[in-house]
Amino acid sequence: MTEITLRIDGKIRQIVAHPARRLSEVLREDLNLKSVKVGCDAGDCGACTVLIDGAQHCACLTPVVQADGRQIETLETADAGLSQRLQEAFLDHGAAQCGICTPGVMMAAMELLRVVPAPSEDQVQEALAGVLCRCTGYRKIIAAVMAANAPSATVTPLPGASVGQPIRRLDGRPKVDGTEVFGADYVPDGALLVRAVRSPHYHAAFALGDVESWAKTNDVAHVVTAADINGQNRYGVIPPLADQPALAETHTRYLGEPVALVLGLPAIIEALDLSDFPVTWTPKPHSLTAAEGAAKNAAQLHHDRPENTLIRGNVSCGTPDDALAKAAFTATGRFETSYVEHAYIEPEAGSAWMDGDTIVIQACTQAPVMDQEDTAKVLGLSVDKVRIIPSAAGGGFGAKLDVSLQPLLGLAVLKSSQPCTMVFSRTESMRTTTKRHPGTMEATIGADADGRITGMIFHGDFNTGAYASWGPTVATRVPVHASGPYLTPNYRATSRAVHSNGPTAGAFRGFGVPQAAIAQELLYDELAMKCGLDRLAFRRRNVLCDGDKTPSGQVLQAVGMEECLDALAVHWDRAKADAAGFNATATTRKRGIGIASCWYGCGNTALPNPSTIRFGITAEGRLRLHQGATDIGQGANTVITQIAADALGIDIATIELVGPDTALTPDCGKTSASRQTFITGRAAEAAGRALKAAILRQTNLSDTTALKLGDGTLTVQQGSEERTIVLATLPRDAHGYVLSAEETYDPPTSTLDENGQGTPYAVYGYGAQIAEVEVDLKLGTTKVLHITAAHDVGRVINPRLAEGQIEGGIAQGLGLALMEEYLPGQTEDLHNYLIPTIGDMPPVTSILIEKPDPEGPMGAKGLGEHVLIPTAPAILNAIRDACGAKITKLPALPHRVLAAMKDAQ
């Protein structure tokens, strides 16, 4: 141990530490500087970036002795003037979404801005190259840094007129000043550290040895095994198919499955070598792909699922075989996609403790009520004895819908009767959490002599991994969407979710639709060329319109596909001319353009998925919105409040947000499937109107032109008339409000019959994108030069946040197309698994189309999921346009592009 001197915020801080201890640990744990985030402990993500003597360093790679005597700056302690200007710019531009990477980004930006007050885009990209962001797509970050020393441009909407305004994120300040509390940022006093003992095999039987003697020898306070579980040792997001144990009992089905927990003092548990934990493994045959899992001789993972088939999906209409036989032109193809890792910068983390007889779990999540229900079942407690407080989520994208450490923390607290904390390592997170489903898809599409689609047949096998998770949702949603947003009168789409010993595949931004879109859109390009039609014109000729019937038999309204493609037409013509001009003289590199469309049903497929909002006024004159939808960076806290404020007709700044918290907020359902703006937004709109009606009943006025809360009063105006309500004179309800409303909205859908006919969704979102790329003909590398994206959002609630969703979705779609391939047991960190960096992300032109849907709140539709869907196929179509390479196995890594070019020649 060595005495170390650090100069922080103008003060000398002396600590005693091992000289090799990570600076990030010292700053976070000893000095409570929690803006320093830890996403990898390997220098790959840059979330821990600090300034040492003015230069950026990864604190996780810096031994504390190297900082001895030097000046250390974190976001809490950096130069107040520059830091404040940068914070304002980030808020103005919407440059922080989830916020986990924001402190690291801002520290890197401050190093640049001190030397170059008005940097160029290239300078910003170079300075921020060491920090990864998974949410934003970087474009808003670049704009904010370039504008940091420019005047702020805050938008302040009039009361009742916040919808449609690019107001700042209401929860944005903690994200940019470093005070946001993520899963690892709160640890109760005296908490024990929890670590999991995990299987080193894809499939194995095991037997535990003398764990008590091992624990005593290693100063471990407690060991938890499946024998300690008092409830049901299984969980799952779809209760009838729940199949995943919190702790395996005798067999493990995937690499990294937990078999035991060890608890103790943090210093002991953190340093513990778990390789000698007393467990005997008997490896068993395993499968890693859907084809291997479906093979006749494959090991069966679940006794009640023959052929390892979890579920099948089907949608059919008309006579597709006959239509294809009579088609003037057909296109056929087989396409494969890989496992894709969510790669959020925050690994799973949280803490738990007892509050009386209630266990409280504060952790990152997208679905607090689902966590509460699953955790209660595992612990053997009634639901009301489990409270879930979502910490800020440092990204999610679907993987934080499933429980991960919540039941493990609960088991640890019940075993030890002490507070407990748990943080997954980066490898642990990537090895054990859900992935995007790998898909193997085959399809044939036919068109008549006029270039109109006559029929389509599609089948997809999806590798759902060891456990069910969201496999049924993917297998059901894909056949509904596999036609794309095109009129297809004769159609048969089938799907199968197959178990393997790979990582469990779950929800990832699109629930299988991005995979299906790759097959359909690449074939539509081929079909357009066979028909002799321009690729955009072919799509424009076939898109769904108002009054058209989907393959599920649903008659659509408010379809914005024509408007999206029409908005892209001028950009398409410009991009074609630009590519042709470049290719006329270039020899070793060629440019191409591609286009793809999308549609996406908002919410659960043909199932109930209600949201409930509570809105209330206290006797003291405080207005509170109980909003239980978790905001994982997409902007739900802001958008839902904008809708509620306008429905009530009040200044949005008056509203105090409560929640999400299962003890304080009604259930707003899970944050997934682009459902929160639509479904929770509808509930918020209804609650605002109901509260307004309750207020009017107190005044005998027919409407309001202004509402103003004062100290214990509410003043209501209608034209020249004015009424003042003395709030303390009104009785309080069960929640302590004198005026309140609680409203629920559940979309009107219907179950699907044996042919997939029915109303799977009440509202759809639509969009189309153009990709412009440049391919190096010798290396096979692809650079995306520009994306133009037109998306029908129904009604724009917040244009800045909508643009942020588009850019972030495009970044993930770019990764899906060009670089992201999770290989179990191999790409388990952010060094070997590549996601787009700031230098990979092209400029994006976003076009927001407004075709209001009468079912949506103030006409709005969802957006978050479908922005990703067209990106990958547009890029792949652009690659083919540039060099002839038809990519059928994703991602389009250089060796695959070169092989496809050779095949094309």
Side-chain angles (χ1 to χ4, degrees):
M1 304 295 285
T2 303
E3 186 173 280
I4 305 290
T5 299
L6 303 177
R7 294 189 292 123
I8 299 176
D9 199 18
K11 301 175 183 176
I12 300 297
R13 305 295 295 269
Q14 291 186 323
I15 60 168
V16 176
H18 190 285
R21 191 177 178 204
R22 298 176 191 271
L23 177 60
S24 55
E25 294 178 2
V26 171
L27 294 174
R28 285 180 57 83
E29 297 169 17
D30 296 6
L31 301 178
N32 201 35
L33 296 173
K34 294 295 177 67
S35 75
V36 181
K37 306 304 179 188
V38 177
C40 66
D41 268 342
D44 295 324
C45 75
C48 64
T49 298
V50 298
L51 301 185
I52 301 179
D53 291 339
Q56 58 175 299
H57 290 72
C58 283
C60 75
L61 291 185
T62 304
V64 68
V65 70
Q66 291 186 3
D68 188 22
R70 303 173 72 181
Q71 179 177 315
I72 311 298
E73 294 176 84
T74 69
L75 190 54
E76 299 99 328
T77 66
D79 170 58
L82 178 57
S83 174
Q84 186 64 39
R85 292 194 300 275
L86 196 54
Q87 289 179 37
E88 301 307 317
F90 267 58
L91 292 173
D92 285 343
H93 288 80
Q97 289 191 18
C98 82
I100 190 72
C101 73
T102 304
V105 169
M106 294 177 72
M107 297 311 299
M110 277 191 265
E111 179 194 28
L112 170 67
L113 291 168
R114 285 172 178 168
V115 179
V116 186
S120 67
E121 181 171 322
D122 287 345
Q123 289 172 317
V124 174
Q125 288 184 337
E126 182 178 357
L128 272 57
V131 187
L132 294 176
C133 175
R134 190 58 159 166
C135 295
T136 66
Y138 301 103
R139 302 307 304 179
K140 295 285 187 273
I141 291 173
I142 294 171
V145 175
M146 292 175 68
N149 288 312
S152 179
T154 304
V155 174
T156 303
L158 295 172
S162 64
V163 167
Q165 297 300 310
I167 68 169
R168 287 179 167 187
R169 187 181 294 270
L170 297 180
D171 56 359
R173 182 62 66 182
K175 298 177 188 296
V176 301
D177 68 11
T179 61
E180 186 73 283
V181 179
F182 294 91
D185 291 339
Y186 173 71
V187 178
D189 291 339
L192 302 180
L193 182 63
V194 181
R195 288 179 62 194
V197 179
R198 298 183 180 275
S199 171
H201 304 285
Y202 292 107
H203 193 199
F206 71 92
L208 298 177
D210 186 355
V211 297
E212 292 186 5
S213 296
W214 177 87
K216 186 175 181 180
T217 300
N218 289 278
D219 293 325
V220 171
H222 303 278
V223 175
V224 180
T225 69
D228 295 299
I229 295 175
N230 294 323
Q232 303 175 30
N233 189 17
R234 67 178 185 275
Y235 61 82
V237 294
I238 301 174
L241 297 174
D243 58 1
Q244 188 162 355
L247 293 171
E249 298 175 359
T250 59
H251 291 77
T252 58
R253 296 180 173 91
Y254 69 91
L255 181 67
E257 184 161 10
V259 300
L261 305 174
V262 296
L263 292 62
L265 296 176
I268 292 173
I269 299 300
E270 188 172 356
L272 196 62
D273 180 3
L274 295 178
S275 64
D276 65 348
F277 184 82
V279 56
T280 302
W281 299 101
T282 305
K284 303 178 71 174
H286 68 267
S287 58
L288 290 179
T289 67
E292 292 171 354
K296 290 183 178 180
N297 61 346
Q300 297 298 294
L301 273 70
H302 302 276
H303 71 276
D304 57 345
R305 296 171 188 169
E307 300 178 330
N308 282 324
T309 297
L310 169 63
I311 196 170
R312 293 178 183 269
N314 168 60
V315 172
S316 60
C317 66
T319 55
D321 295 289
D322 185 56
L324 291 177
K326 296 177 180 177
F329 307 100
T330 61
T332 299
R334 184 179 187 272
F335 304 89
E336 295 180 55
T337 64
S338 305
Y339 274 120
V340 180
E341 160 67 22
H342 298 74
Y344 30 74
I345 305 303
E346 178 205 29
E348 290 70 13
S351 296
W353 61 92
M354 295 301 299
D355 182 4
D357 61 352
T358 298
I359 188 164
V360 182
I361 301 172
Q362 181 169 308
C364 50
T365 180
Q366 293 178 237
V369 173
M370 290 171 62
D371 288 359
Q372 180 189 37
E373 293 170 348
D374 264 345
T375 302
K377 288 178 183 177
V378 171
L379 301 182
L381 301 175
S382 60
V383 172
D384 64 312
K385 298 303 180 184
V386 176
R387 178 183 180 185
I388 302 293
I389 304 174
S391 58
F397 319 115
K400 291 177 181 176
L401 288 167
D402 301 69
V403 296
S404 54
L405 46 65
Q406 291 87 347
L408 305 183
L409 280 168
L411 291 168
V413 169
L414 293 182
K415 177 81 171 187
S416 66
S417 300
Q418 290 182 249
C420 292
T421 189
M422 189 175 194
V423 180
F424 284 11
S425 69
R426 170 54 58 185
T427 295
E428 193 174 19
S429 174
M430 294 182 71
R431 179 176 289 176
T432 66
T433 59
T434 60
K435 307 286 173 277
R436 184 182 294 284
H437 283 73
T440 300
M441 299 159 289
E442 297 180 352
T444 299
I445 311 173
D448 64 20
D450 294 326
R452 297 191 181 277
I453 296 168
T454 58
M456 177 180 184
I457 293 176
F458 170 98
H459 177 74
D461 279 343
F462 294 91
N463 181 0
T464 205
Y467 294 105
S469 184
W470 295 96
T473 302
V474 169
T476 303
R477 187 179 276 269
V478 165
V480 174
H481 288 83
S483 65
Y486 306 103
L487 185 63
T488 310
N490 301 287
Y491 179 81
R492 182 172 66 249
T494 56
S495 62
R496 177 174 60 161
V498 180
H499 284 297
S500 75
N501 296 108
T504 298
F508 190 167
R509 207 168 191 170
F511 285 103
V513 179
Q515 295 94 303
I518 288 164
Q520 84 209 12
E521 290 293 333
L522 268 63
L523 289 180
Y524 288 139
D525 249 32
E526 189 169 322
L527 199 55
M529 290 184 279
K530 287 185 176 183
C531 293
L533 292 172
D534 173 84
R535 291 174 287 157
L536 186 149
F538 174 81
R539 288 169 169 82
R540 180 65 174 79
R541 181 169 298 189
N542 286 284
V543 290
L544 291 164
C545 303
D546 289 359
D548 282 343
K549 188 180 290 188
T550 72
S552 293
Q554 182 176 0
V555 177
L556 296 176
Q557 60 179 353
V559 182
M561 274 310 309
E562 290 180 306
E563 290 82 353
C564 288
L565 291 174
D566 288 347
L568 290 180
V570 64
H571 301 274
W572 179 252
D573 291 340
R574 188 269 310 157
K576 283 198 297 184
D578 287 352
F582 179 87
N583 293 338
T585 57
T587 56
T588 61
R589 293 173 293 139
K590 293 292 183 181
R591 291 184 179 178
I593 64 171
I595 188 169
S597 303
C598 71
W599 67 328
Y600 193 77
C602 302
N604 291 353
T605 306
L607 291 171
N609 59 141
S611 285
T612 302
I613 285 284
R614 183 184 304 135
F615 212 0
I617 299 174
T618 70
E620 296 75 28
R622 300 174 69 178
L623 175 62
R624 294 182 178 136
L625 180 68
H626 292 251
Q627 199 283 97
T630 53
D631 191 324
I632 59 173
Q634 85 280 22
N637 281 335
T638 304
V639 167
I640 292 168
T641 307
Q642 286 179 270
I643 293 169
D646 282 15
L648 178 58
I650 202 163
D651 184 351
I652 193 170
T654 307
I655 299 175
E656 300 176 19
L657 274 171
V658 178
D661 180 331
T662 58
L664 301 176
T665 49
D667 185 9
C668 283
K670 61 190 184 298
T671 293
S672 69
S674 296
R675 62 177 299 281
Q676 292 297 8
T677 295
F678 163 41
I679 299 173
T680 301
R682 267 295 299 267
E685 181 182 23
R689 297 191 190 285
L691 181 56
K692 181 177 179 179
I695 293 169
L696 290 174
R697 285 194 293 271
Q698 297 290 327
T699 65
N700 290 323
L701 297 175
S702 60
D703 202 353
T704 69
T705 53
L707 292 174
K708 186 175 181 180
L709 283 163
D711 186 11
T713 63
L714 173 61
T715 301
V716 184
Q717 290 181 331
Q718 183 180 17
S720 60
E721 295 188 68
E722 183 176 291
R723 305 280 193 278
T724 296
I725 304 171
V726 180
L727 297 169
T729 64
L730 302 177
R732 288 179 168 84
D733 64 16
H735 301 291
Y737 294 119
V738 295
L739 290 166
S740 67
E742 183 168 312
E743 295 292 330
T744 298
Y745 174 75
D746 192 6
T749 62
S750 69
T751 57
L752 303 182
D753 66 16
E754 67 277 8
N755 292 316
Q757 300 298 293
T759 304
Y761 312 101
V763 167
Y764 293 80
Y766 304 91
Q769 294 177 8
I770 296 170
E772 301 169 54
V773 308
E774 184 174 295
V775 178
D776 188 307
L777 303 182
K778 293 184 178 181
L779 300 178
T781 55
T782 300
K783 181 174 181 59
V784 182
L785 304 175
H786 192 270
I787 299 284
T788 307
H791 287 273
D792 171 26
V793 297
R795 172 93 181 272
V796 181
I797 305 298
N798 187 311
R800 182 170 293 124
L801 297 184
E803 289 174 0
Q805 284 297 287
I806 291 172
E807 292 165 5
I810 286 171
Q812 292 183 356
L814 185 152
L816 171 64
L818 298 181
M819 64 188 71
E820 297 192 40
E821 184 172 20
Y822 180 83
L823 301 173
Q826 299 180 52
T827 55
E828 297 179 335
D829 55 47
L830 293 175
H831 181 76
N832 292 295
Y833 184 87
L834 302 180
I835 66 173
T837 67
I838 196 169
D840 296 313
M841 187 63 186
V844 174
T845 299
S846 295
I847 304 170
L848 299 177
I849 303 297
E850 292 186 291
K851 190 165 186 178
D853 193 308
E855 193 63 36
M858 302 178 183
K861 305 168 182 175
L863 177 66
E865 309 271 314
H866 71 264
V867 294
L868 176 147
I869 296 168
T871 308
I875 291 171
L876 298 176
N877 283 335
I879 291 174
R880 186 177 186 184
D881 184 54
C883 64
K886 181 180 178 181
I887 304 298
T888 58
K889 166 69 175 175
L890 271 69
L893 299 174
H895 71 279
R896 291 176 182 151
V897 173
L898 291 173
M901 287 170 56
K902 184 177 180 181
D903 290 344
Q905 293 167 358

